[in-house]
Amino acid sequence: KDGVINEEDYQVIGNAYPDVTFGFSNTFTYKNWELSFLLRGAIGNDVLNVHRMYYEGFNYFGGKNILVSTLEHPEYKGSAVFSDRFVEDGSYLRLKNIMLGYNLPVKKWKVKNWLSALKIYVSAQNLFTITGYSGMDPEVNSWGGDTNAGLDYLTYPNVKTITFGAKVQF
């Protein structure tokens, strides 16, 4: 309030560590079918969206090629500074893994004793994420370690993967 911004004006504006982390998994079977899944999430963590911090300013690109969200704050014309404006709720719920498989009835095939079980399956990782975070992925830790926890420097998001396979037991 003295017109000068210095160390006395600094304050904590977020916490990168969640209040709660959780996971839930289960497997359902019906006859020869099998469905398993893993849900994972976190509640109460904050993420500093550094991408927004750098690119939501008219000064950064000289007024050209700016993000649309920059227009929400036309008064912001300075360079990138840490601000609570860029701290977002990083809570999320993610379907981390899901697998649907079918156990083929090899015992009925009268195959010699060399084959004891055969399952075909389709599996998917990171199928969807429910979050209010505006960045690519709320599960960030840009370069590992505690010093970068909660900083999203355009961390590469978790990749969606779909796998088809077979499990053979001899």
Side-chain angles (χ1 to χ4, degrees):
K1 296 182 182 183
D2 59 4
V4 178
I5 297 178
N6 54 28
E7 293 82 22
E8 295 172 5
D9 297 312
Y10 294 166
Q11 63 181 346
V12 176
I13 57 174
N15 185 352
Y17 302 103
D19 297 329
V20 176
T21 57
F22 61 91
F24 177 73
S25 65
N26 206 341
T27 301
F28 300 100
T29 55
Y30 177 74
K31 296 186 179 180
N32 290 348
W33 290 95
E34 182 178 326
L35 175 69
S36 62
F37 66 90
L38 169 62
L39 290 168
R40 217 175 97 176
I43 299 171
N45 59 309
D46 296 311
V47 177
L48 175 64
N49 192 333
V50 180
H51 177 257
R52 282 186 53 223
M53 183 176 79
Y54 278 102
Y55 297 114
E56 281 189 10
F58 287 103
N59 209 22
Y60 193 80
F61 290 113
K64 298 179 177 136
N65 296 325
I66 58 173
L67 296 177
V68 173
S69 54
T70 304
L71 301 175
E72 296 171 5
H73 297 277
E75 74 283 356
Y76 181 69
K77 297 190 186 316
S79 58
V81 292
F82 289 96
S83 167
D84 62 352
R85 178 174 150 210
F86 307 112
V87 175
E88 301 180 33
D89 181 15
S91 301
Y92 69 93
L93 171 67
R94 170 172 285 146
L95 180 59
K96 192 70 178 166
N97 191 345
I98 188 165
M99 188 272 303
L100 177 65
Y102 184 75
N103 294 300
L104 295 164
V106 294
K107 304 276 188 217
K108 292 181 182 179
W109 294 352
K110 297 182 181 172
V111 179
K112 293 185 179 181
N113 292 336
W114 61 272
L115 183 63
S116 62
L118 176 61
K119 174 168 71 172
I120 57 173
Y121 65 89
V122 59
S123 176
Q125 285 78 36
N126 303 310
L127 211 51
F128 69 82
T129 303
I130 300 171
T131 184
Y133 180 62
S134 68
M136 288 195 286
D137 191 345
E139 195 175 8
V140 298
N141 190 354
S142 292
W143 296 298
D146 284 342
T147 58
N148 294 306
L151 298 178
D152 185 4
Y153 285 104
L154 280 181
T155 305
Y156 198 78
N158 285 298
V159 179
K160 291 180 184 176
T161 307
I162 298 177
T163 307
F164 297 92
K167 179 180 176 183
V168 181
Q169 290 180 332
F170 298 101

